[in-house]
Amino acid sequence: LQVIASIRNPEKLDSLMLGLVPDMTDKGAEHIIRLSGLRRLEIGGSKITDAGLEKLTALRNLEFLMLGASSRITNAGMSHYQKFPKLNELWLGGSAFSDEGLKGLRGMNLRVLCVGWNAGITDAGLGYLELDKLEELVLNGTKVREQSVRDFHNAHPGVKIKWSGGEIAATKTAVSAPKAAPKTAPVSQ
């Protein structure tokens, strides 16, 4: 944190990768928000809570966020991710939220979402993923079963899915068959 505080022109820094930082708390988030130009932020193993995540939403240019192995973000805090207007990649592997928390991500413009290595994610959680721009979903280490992964892929063929059973490549969206012309009754004269 002392290094962050000593950065000259902090608004010019666009990427910060801290790795595993088990001592990072909400207080550390206060230092990070000085880096207003950040587009990419990676913090692993931190003690950042819902309150710290809310502070980080001041980073309005953030496109990529990795808060992996952070067990302090709860289901209630998941809606704070909505406050990052440019966020398109979100990596939350190893966190402790559950299916219910995924509701907080609804409608986001995420291209990539990782919720892997989280035993709280089950088949039910896939039903909460209403992410129209999603291209890649990482589910490794969750309790999502194979049939649910395949059902999700059938409903969202453009999404590449990585899960404990392997990987399913994205496919082009199926073109629907043309509709038959409506049958009309003969006109009597």
Side-chain angles (χ1 to χ4, degrees):
L1 297 178
Q2 292 173 349
V3 171
I4 294 171
S6 69
I7 294 174
R8 290 185 182 180
N9 301 318
E11 69 283 352
K12 292 185 178 181
L13 189 68
D14 73 349
S15 183
L16 181 63
M17 294 172 266
L18 296 175
L20 290 175
V21 190
D23 294 333
M24 175 70 73
T25 64
D26 294 346
K27 185 94 172 143
E30 292 174 15
H31 293 284
I32 292 172
I33 63 173
R34 291 184 55 241
L35 309 172
S36 60
L38 280 183
R39 291 183 15 248
R40 181 182 186 98
L41 176 60
E42 296 182 30
I43 305 172
S46 76
K47 294 176 183 166
I48 292 176
T49 69
D50 296 346
L53 176 58
E54 186 169 26
K55 289 175 187 175
L56 290 176
T57 64
L59 298 171
R60 309 301 287 168
N61 295 312
L62 215 56
E63 298 170 9
F64 178 102
L65 178 59
M66 190 277 287
L67 285 178
S70 175
S71 60
R72 311 290 171 126
I73 307 296
T74 68
N75 288 338
M78 294 291 285
S79 63
H80 292 310
Y81 292 110
Q82 294 272 354
K83 299 173 187 172
F84 293 101
K86 297 180 179 180
L87 194 64
N88 61 52
E89 287 196 45
L90 183 57
W91 292 78
L92 302 173
S95 297
F97 59 88
S98 68
D99 293 333
E100 192 70 23
L102 295 176
K103 291 179 182 178
L105 305 180
R106 283 183 174 160
M108 291 185 69
N109 290 321
L110 295 175
R111 288 183 311 97
V112 178
L113 175 62
C114 171
V115 294
W117 301 279
N118 182 339
I121 303 301
T122 69
D123 298 341
L126 294 181
Y128 300 137
L129 294 179
E130 296 174 14
L131 304 168
D132 294 339
K133 305 218 178 199
L134 195 63
E135 296 173 10
E136 183 174 341
L137 178 61
V138 180
L139 297 169
N140 299 44
T142 65
K143 292 184 178 178
V144 178
R145 294 174 299 162
E146 179 177 2
Q147 188 58 52
S148 295
V149 170
R150 296 201 181 285
D151 290 347
F152 184 86
H153 188 261
N154 287 337
H156 307 278
V159 177
K160 174 181 173 180
I161 304 172
K162 295 178 181 177
W163 64 294
S164 299
E167 183 175 310
I168 300 176
T171 57
K172 293 184 180 181
T173 306
V175 177
S176 58
K179 292 183 179 179
K183 294 183 180 179
T184 57
V187 179
S188 59
Q189 295 185 4

